[in-house]
Amino acid sequence: MTTHTSGAGAADRPRSWPLRFFGVLLALIGLVLAVGGIQLVTLGGSWYYLLAGAALLLSGILLLLRHKLGAWLFGITALATVVWAVAEVGLDFWKLVPRLAPFLVLGFVLALLLPQLAGMRARRSAYVLASVLGVGLVAGAFAIFQPHGVIHTAAAPKPLGPATATPSDWQHYGRTPAGTRFAPFDQINRDNVKQLEVAWTYRTGEIAEGASEFQNTPMQIGDTVFVCTPLNKVVALDADTGAERWKFDPKVEDRKTWNRCRGLGYYEPAKVSQPYSFEEDAAWHAAHPAGSPVCASRVVMTTIDARLLQIDAKTGELCQDFGQGGVVDLTVGMGKVDYDNVLWYYLTSAPTVVGNMVIIGGWTFDGRSVDEPSGVVRAFSADSGELIWAWDMGQPEITKLPPEGGSYSRSTPNVWSTPAFDEDLGLVYLPLGNQQPDFWGGNRPETTEKHSSAVVALDIRTGRERWTFQTVHHDIWDYDIASQPALYDIPDGKGQTIPALVQLTKRGQIFLLDRRDGTPIAEVEERAVPQTVAAGDWVAKTQPYSVGMPALGAEPLTEADMWGATFFDQLVCRIAFRKLNYEGEFTAPSTKPTLIYPGYYGGFNWGSAAIDENRGYLFLNDIRIPQVVTLIPHENVDESKLVAGHGVGSTYPMHGTPFVIDHAAFNSPLGIPCNAPPWGVFAAVDLESRELMWQVPAGTVEDAVVNGIRASLPVPLGMPTLGSGVVTASGLVFYGATQDYYMRALDVATGEELWKSRMPVGGQATPMSYVSPKTGRQYVVMAAGGARQSPDRGDYVIAYALPKTQ
């Protein structure tokens, strides 16, 4: 008599261990998902993980017993998962990956093992099924390396506008006072951009470490390119060869906290008609007639130790007739600026040279106290260094220095980014920060509340306020305005133009304002927001939304948006999301961990916009990384153990408030963001139609390092970005601030990548472009010092150009 077991003879028993092992593995997977699913359900989340986990647990047990029903149950669960996944997230590729890829892999393995379960007669069918699933795996692997979430409109690109081959200077941070980063050259174009090569490379000799970062956009004047380093060293380079002409070192102290120098200013007394001259300058002009050899051209720099310097552009020496031996002390009138040998008043962005004035704001150390240095904005004579005017929003009666023994208003909103200005209108436009200490505002004075996170227009001559537009009311989310305003004249549809101001925000909102008076050109709507708030604080009833313009990455997160590399960490992220205090964008910080999205890094950060001035295309890049903050009562904290710093991974003491605030990343256990990609995009908006033209992922994970492991695969998830792009008259936008180590050229009209070149390290600066007055070659220059999340750092200034013609 012969005894048979389920579906196989006794001779098959020794070979059944792979199936049994698979059954055990599947049962464990199901158990983990079911246990996590129970927790998710109790938090009000999806039932899927509990039900699927239970089904996989039972399927694994049945397969361990070599029962056919185990395979059928797995197949039913997989098909149900497909239906659930598509119902929950549609056909979004990256959102489907952690939901479906595990079943594809497990199903492929199970198909190979089916003959052990069903006997030799099922071998052919099993292998056909395995082949089909294998093709699916290959197709999925191929798809991983393709960009997803790409958006294109059907609108035909506008024709290219006029260009020039005449050299002109990149004199301001955004090339011109308008801050559009538009280079009116077309020598490098769509047809020849693939021929771009490295023309020269310069190394500054200064490697930024810790919180120091090389974020400089070089300045070009004539045949010289000027670069500044995080420690404010200034280098003059030959525009055609990159050869060093001189180097100036202001000897700032490296405190390893927030060292950076994003840009420089430039001034030539003989070329300015002195439209903003005041009596204080009369003696200087009398002593320096036109043609005077003393510093005929001047590099203007602010430093991280709060000095304003002028350097002879020809020699690299301090201009002795400016301030005290070439230096103006910017701490005068500021009161206390140094706490425990840590300077709380920095200058990190480029000074704004307007006529014969230098207008500056300043950066104050976030979240330290209600008693921080002032956000006063000041204008100094570019000739003598004398103070011309001051705008102290808390004490508007102070127009220059505060009274003897006094100081400018403490902790007022500051201008740490870069202004733009319109000389014809006589206005300078200030992007203001939020009132300190960032995340709790119960004791902020009414006199400064209206300026927090606002665009403010000042009269250039007098520094008096002309108009204010607020982008966040009572900002307790650190949604300060980081981006430089961009000025552009928009067609009004009647044959005329409207002088517009484009203001990007960390919220992903784009505000389009009439720069004459600050009124919205594109509709702005006040919307009701959550009203729950921490003890002693308050929240505004409504917040402004620019509904007349596209918004990027501004949709509220849901549980379905949670992501992971596997369904395990995706489940963990869903549970974590359900535990957080989150009611949308304006959920106020709480003693319960609170999700902030868009995060306080952006949306749009200091990289700012770039505009194709000929066609009215607005080029954008953003960040989509939420943060988790938690208010902790002071009495519950040992402040000696606080991790001081700036942003994620640190704790702000917020002295003078009831709380400290802890900052954390919203990541999965694998160190990957819990929200689904993209985590940053390139995009373009037509400013005339006010429509999104295209959107593509911003770079790949090739050089990303997570938990010490480098990805090394060019998967185009779309990564967070800081620096902006430079747009040319040929319709190209150049970008070098992705997390992977590439300089890229995109078609501004379509987003198509036309060229890229590997850099030694990543970048987080904005490139620039110029035409050499000596050779007529167009160059694109990028400072590559290391991407924000990369361990690799460098000191490279790289210039690209077309090959020399013979």
Side-chain angles (χ1 to χ4, degrees), residues 242 609 618:
L618 174 71

Side-chain angles (χ1 to χ4, degrees), residues 10 56 83 143 310 348 366 376 383 426 433 462 567 603 644 718 731 767:
L56 292 180
V83 174
Q310 281 196 358
T348 56
D366 293 52
V376 63
D383 297 313
T462 65
F567 48 21

Side-chain angles (χ1 to χ4, degrees), residues 148-151 551-553 603-604 619-624 677-684 692 694-699 716-723 735 738 746:
H148 298 280
V150 174
I151 297 173
L552 266 64
F604 307 116
F619 176 76
L620 307 164
N621 57 283
D622 75 347
I623 300 172
R624 304 182 183 190
W679 301 311
V681 303
F682 296 138
L692 181 69
W694 55 263
Q695 174 181 300
V696 298
L717 284 171
M719 302 295 281
T721 54
L722 281 172
Y735 197 88
T738 51
L746 309 180

Side-chain angles (χ1 to χ4, degrees), residues 207-215 260 606 623 698-705 710 719-723 735-744 758-765 782-796:
I207 305 292
E209 298 178 348
S212 300
E213 293 171 332
F214 192 18
Q215 298 176 342
R260 60 253 296 117
W606 53 260
I623 300 172
T700 73
V701 300
E702 179 176 350
D703 297 296
V705 177
R710 187 180 297 271
M719 302 295 281
T721 54
L722 281 172
Y735 197 88
T738 51
Q739 296 295 313
D740 55 3
Y741 301 171
Y742 291 97
M743 183 74 170
R744 287 177 167 86
R758 182 81 174 168
M759 297 187 294
V761 296
Q764 53 176 299
M782 175 71 190
R788 169 65 61 93
Q789 300 300 327
S790 169
D792 300 328
R793 289 290 181 262
D795 60 344
Y796 300 89

Side-chain angles (χ1 to χ4, degrees), residues 248 250 303 305-310 318-330 384-385:
F248 171 80
T303 67
D305 60 359
R307 291 179 286 164
L308 171 62
L309 310 179
Q310 281 196 358
L318 284 171
C319 297
Q320 297 299 316
D321 56 346
F322 179 79
Q324 300 295 316
V327 180
V328 171
D329 182 359
L330 296 178
S384 64

